[in-house]
Amino acid sequence: MRYFVVVPAAGSGRRLASSSAGLADVRKQYLEIAGRTVLEHALAPFLADARCARVVVAIAPDDARWPVIERSLADPRLCAVAGGVERADSVRLALAALHGTASAEAWVLVHDAARPCLSAAELSGLVTALQLHDVGGLLALPLADTVKRAAPRAGRVSSNALAQVDATLDREDLWRALTPQMFRFAALTEALSLTSLAGRVPTDEAQAIEWLGLQPQLVAGDARNIKITTAVDLELAAALLAARNSSPAG
Ligand code: CTP
Ligand code: MG
């Protein structure tokens, strides 16, 4: 079994920048944890996997850091394309670079550049669970906390503080979507092209696939596979990677 990888890394990390003045100048995918950038950590499990045939990274058009990293990683499977306005645009543009290389049925794994803690075991768990599946699916976690919906607040959309409870939701069937998300090349290309033409913005690949009327599989992931969104996540990721590196299993 072989798969292709798309890594959207063209975001500007606005929430991280606004969460800490000291982090405002660097895109979050280029912050360093234990001597390596977040993006390098995110790429590592794929580059260490012989089943990974090619990795397309979507970068911002003015990104000066990527060429340095690409040279230092020196892996012939790596290439980069310019990303787009939304994450879904970046993924769609990266998929286009696989045209002629990936067959219609080939598996494509999409993984956020902002997720540096994906382990080899979690990646293998996803691939093994889905490789015979018709549609594909995604890593996800059942919600553990009780979930509240806040009452709408006119003119206060930028602040999460001091919100009031409108309702308590039944968390029974609710999952948090993680990455990688794994779908067939032709289906994912079609799903993202159609949403783009329709002017709709899916928040992840699975939603675009759902809009085709298909049902992605949920594969239980690992709570350590966090996404760097605010400064706190950076602290958590550093602690998680340090713990992994000091564990006997490596
Ligand atoms: N991403 C992308 N192209 C975009 C927007 C996002 O490739 N136009 C990527 C980000 O680089 C990140 C991943 O999609 O690896 C997940 O997005 P998110 O966590 O939202 O990152 P940002 O958009 O950079 O952050 P923010 O939303 O806080 O600005
Ligand atoms: Mg974003």
Side-chain angles (χ1 to χ4, degrees), residues 66-87:
W66 171 254
V68 179
I69 290 178
E70 186 171 16
R71 256 196 311 280
S72 79
L73 288 173
D75 191 309
R77 293 171 295 177
L78 273 174
C79 70
V81 300
V85 177
E86 303 285 349
R87 180 182 176 285

Side-chain angles (χ1 to χ4, degrees), residues 64 71 77 97 137 146 148 163 167 173 180 204:
R71 256 196 311 280
R77 293 171 295 177
T146 296
K148 305 290 185 190
D173 298 320
D204 63 356

Side-chain angles (χ1 to χ4, degrees), residues 175-186:
W175 294 60
R176 291 193 290 129
L178 316 176
T179 72
Q181 305 206 350
M182 170 170 165
F183 295 105
R184 308 265 184 196
F185 175 65

Side-chain angles (χ1 to χ4, degrees), residues 92-243:
R92 188 170 45 81
L93 293 164
L95 282 174
L98 292 172
H99 228 92
T101 311
S103 69
E105 293 299 300
W107 287 114
V108 179
L109 275 65
V110 180
H111 184 56
D112 289 329
R115 290 188 189 269
C117 302
L118 174 69
S119 68
E122 192 182 9
L123 170 58
S124 277
L126 175 75
V127 170
T128 306
L130 295 180
Q131 57 185 338
L132 299 177
H133 197 273
D134 286 340
V135 175
L138 62 150
L139 287 174
L141 283 172
L143 281 188
D145 297 313
T146 296
V147 182
K148 305 290 185 190
R149 188 178 59 216
R153 289 161 299 151
R156 300 268 316 274
V157 282
S158 65
S159 166
N160 289 326
L162 299 176
Q164 278 184 326
V165 173
D166 181 47
T168 299
L169 305 184
D170 186 356
R171 67 152 189 258
E172 184 73 14
D173 298 320
L174 296 182
W175 294 60
R176 291 193 290 129
L178 316 176
T179 72
Q181 305 206 350
M182 170 170 165
F183 295 105
R184 308 265 184 196
F185 175 65
L188 187 55
T189 300
E190 186 195 354
L192 292 174
S193 304
L194 288 176
T195 62
S196 170
L197 286 172
R200 299 173 86 188
V201 181
T203 62
D204 63 356
E205 290 63 55
Q207 189 172 33
I209 293 283
E210 291 155 42
W211 287 343
L212 287 182
L214 301 171
Q215 278 193 311
Q217 181 81 36
L218 293 163
V219 178
D222 186 322
R224 285 166 285 206
N225 182 6
I226 62 168
K227 189 178 71 158
I228 310 275
T229 303
T230 65
V232 173
D233 302 317
L234 202 60
E235 278 178 47
L236 289 173
L240 289 166
L241 290 170

